Amino acid sequence: MDKPAYDPFAAMRIREYRNLMMGRFLFIMGLRMMGTLVGWWIYELTNDPFAIGLIGLSEVIPAVSLSLYAGHIIDISEKRKLLLRGVTLYLVCALFLLLLSTSYTTEQLSKHWIAFSIYIIIFFTGIIRAFTGPTFGTMVASIVPRDLLQNATTWNQGIWLSASVTGHATVGFLIALIGNTGSLAVISTLVFIGFMFMFQIKPKPSLNEKGEKKTMESVKEGLSFVFKTKELLGALSLDLFAVLFGGAVAMIPVFAKDILKTGPIGFGWLNAASDIGSILIVILLTAFPLKRQQGKKLLLAVAGFGVCIIIFAFSRLFWLSFAVLMLSGMLDGISMIIRGTIVQLKTPDQMRGRVMSVNSMFINSSNELGQFESGVAAKLLGVIPSVVFGGCMTLLVVATTWFKAPSLRKMEY
């Protein structure tokens, strides 16, 4: 009997999954626009690369501190209600930033107090993200049957990347056309429409009883599972250190303004470059999924990412900088899909909240830690040497993982 033909749209044929993905696209697009705008805004206010790094620190402290507790709460909570509550609170933060950007506020407050207020708002988004980010991952597995999880994970990554590239590119144009206030009004609208899509999803009750385990016992169980599952731990650790040291994106406002001499539109495209590359590779992998040697391909992709970051640091040509960032995004897209599939396939349903929170702590927060590391390194070494250092450290991490984690290198699914 012939095997049925592979259907690249299998997961998207499920209505609830489509609503989740549409809502996530608009929500992530709004958040990426907000993150890009805040980086540009802070650099305009302070003209200090280190101030950009402090944005990441402001968000990562609450996000990491609450991640494990958030995983426990997600596992014992009704997922839809938790997700909608988080999206609503994000909308409130966007509206506060909107108020802060108005001409009335800028007349009443000094640049110092505006910057300080931005950091406070971003701190609160870090608290919200600790709960909201992992909930998206648990919702995927609660809607899609297990045999479609690889396809759903690829779509999930593709939607996230599509939203990122659209948000990064669009906000540069918006800042140029309608300023920070108009851009934040658009961001708030996008988050609200995303909420309406997610509102249509049916409730997703917990598979755990609330009184089944104490909080600390539950948290330890999630951590223990991750550390015992070597392929999962290896993939998460590799991405953590690669993004921590290899994230050149945090310094793009400096490269755009002071080195490549481009305005907000060029800044937006440089921010979008890696995501453009990622979405191109995700489209390709949706139609032609990776069949063999996924572990080895993961390591090679991260090594290539490090090389791209080094080339970006030395580039003085806009087109070359854009090209290597786009290539780095293609390689990052490969690693994201492999890692995301490993997480979904290796995690039991009743532990998804805790494992997704550990995943969030390793992966998502590494972006903000990387942003802070980039700011500190730029302060100590200078902008260009700090980016070169980050790319070299990424290569060192890959070489270490290659020899120290043979189970990951040999892994296939």
Side-chain angles (χ1 to χ4, degrees):
M1 185 175 178
D2 293 336
K3 289 179 67 177
Y6 173 74
D7 180 7
F9 297 95
M12 292 299 286
R13 298 187 193 283
I14 301 170
R15 182 179 177 184
E16 277 198 301
Y17 188 72
R18 285 200 307 273
N19 283 330
L20 179 66
M21 291 298 101
M22 284 299 297
R24 192 178 195 213
F25 177 86
L26 293 166
F27 178 62
I28 295 299
M29 180 180 171
L31 296 191
R32 290 297 160 187
M33 289 171 70
M34 184 192 296
T36 305
L37 182 147
V38 165
W40 181 263
W41 191 4
I42 283 288
Y43 193 59
E44 278 189 325
L45 291 169
T46 65
N47 204 36
D48 183 1
F50 182 67
I52 300 173
L54 289 178
I55 298 170
L57 187 65
S58 299
E59 188 166 15
V60 79
I61 288 174
V64 170
S65 300
L66 292 171
S67 282
L68 298 178
Y69 174 70
H72 167 71
I73 295 299
I74 292 166
D75 275 337
I76 64 172
S77 300
E78 197 273 284
K79 311 296 185 293
R80 174 182 174 273
K81 183 187 293 184
L82 196 62
L83 182 62
L84 293 178
R85 188 178 298 160
V87 174
T88 301
L89 291 172
Y90 256 116
L91 177 58
V92 171
C93 290
L95 292 173
F96 272 114
L97 285 173
L98 172 61
L99 177 63
L100 199 60
S101 71
T102 60
S103 58
Y104 175 80
T105 305
T106 55
E107 290 171 3
Q108 300 298 316
L109 297 177
S110 67
K111 289 183 177 181
H112 169 79
W113 281 107
I114 291 174
F116 179 75
S117 300
I118 292 171
Y119 290 131
I120 295 296
I121 294 170
I122 296 302
F123 179 86
F124 281 104
T125 66
I127 296 174
I128 300 163
R129 203 189 71 181
F131 294 86
T132 305
T135 305
F136 275 110
T138 64
M139 291 283 283
V140 170
S142 67
I143 292 171
V144 177
R146 186 174 179 82
D147 62 319
L148 295 181
L149 275 179
Q150 182 174 355
N151 180 254
T153 300
T154 304
W155 274 104
N156 190 36
Q157 299 287 9
I159 293 294
W160 187 89
L161 290 164
S162 300
S164 288
V165 66
T166 308
H168 280 319
T170 303
V171 79
F173 290 102
L174 287 176
I175 293 171
L177 293 172
I178 57 178
N180 292 341
T181 303
S183 300
L184 284 163
V186 173
I187 290 168
S188 301
T189 303
L190 289 172
V191 174
F192 175 74
I193 297 172
F195 172 90
M196 296 308 295
F197 273 102
M198 289 179 270
F199 188 78
Q200 299 178 56
I201 299 170
K202 296 176 183 177
K204 303 298 173 190
S206 168
L207 297 176
N208 298 281
E209 294 295 329
K210 287 194 176 184
E212 184 182 349
K213 292 184 179 71
K214 294 181 179 178
T215 301
M216 286 307 300
E217 182 184 345
S218 174
V219 166
K220 287 177 183 177
E221 187 179 53
L223 278 173
S224 177
F225 176 81
V226 171
F227 280 94
K228 285 179 181 176
T229 311
K230 298 301 181 185
E231 298 88 352
L232 181 57
L233 178 63
L236 295 181
S237 300
L238 177 67
D239 199 87
L240 168 67
F241 289 108
V243 174
L244 177 63
F245 291 113
V249 174
M251 290 297 108
I252 283 179
V254 183
F255 276 86
K257 194 170 183 180
D258 298 338
I259 297 173
L260 300 174
K261 307 295 184 183
T262 186
I265 293 176
F267 162 66
W269 280 110
L270 286 174
N271 257 297
S274 61
D275 288 334
I276 291 173
S278 294
I279 190 57
L280 288 174
I281 201 69
V282 167
I283 291 171
L284 183 64
L285 294 180
T286 302
F288 306 100
L290 295 169
K291 299 289 187 182
R292 300 178 61 247
Q293 296 185 316
Q294 289 92 344
K296 184 179 290 186
K297 289 171 182 173
L298 171 65
L299 289 161
L300 292 175
V302 177
F305 175 85
V307 172
C308 288
I309 296 305
I310 295 171
I311 296 172
F312 172 77
F314 289 113
S315 172
R316 294 298 177 273
L317 301 171
F318 180 85
W319 67 265
L320 178 59
S321 298
F322 182 87
V324 293
L325 285 177
M326 188 168 73
L327 179 58
S328 76
M330 296 178 75
L331 296 167
D332 191 42
I334 294 171
S335 70
M336 281 197 300
I337 287 173
I338 295 173
R339 186 190 68 246
T341 303
I342 292 171
V343 171
Q344 291 287 4
L345 292 176
K346 293 283 186 180
T347 306
D349 288 338
Q350 69 274 15
M351 293 182 65
R352 288 194 183 277
R354 282 163 286 175
V355 173
M356 288 297 172
S357 290
V358 174
N359 176 63
S360 177
M361 186 171 62
F362 270 72
I363 307 308
N364 295 331
S365 297
S366 64
N367 291 302
E368 280 67 41
L369 280 173
Q371 189 177 25
F372 178 66
E373 181 274 336
S374 297
V376 172
K379 189 83 168 178
L380 297 175
L381 305 174
V383 173
I384 295 170
S386 72
V387 176
V388 174
F389 168 77
C392 293
M393 288 300 295
T394 301
L395 294 176
L396 179 61
V397 167
V398 173
T400 303
T401 306
W402 183 279
F403 294 107
K404 294 292 185 180
S407 62
L408 176 63
R409 187 179 73 242
K410 297 173 183 176
M411 198 207 75
E412 296 186 349
Y413 54 77

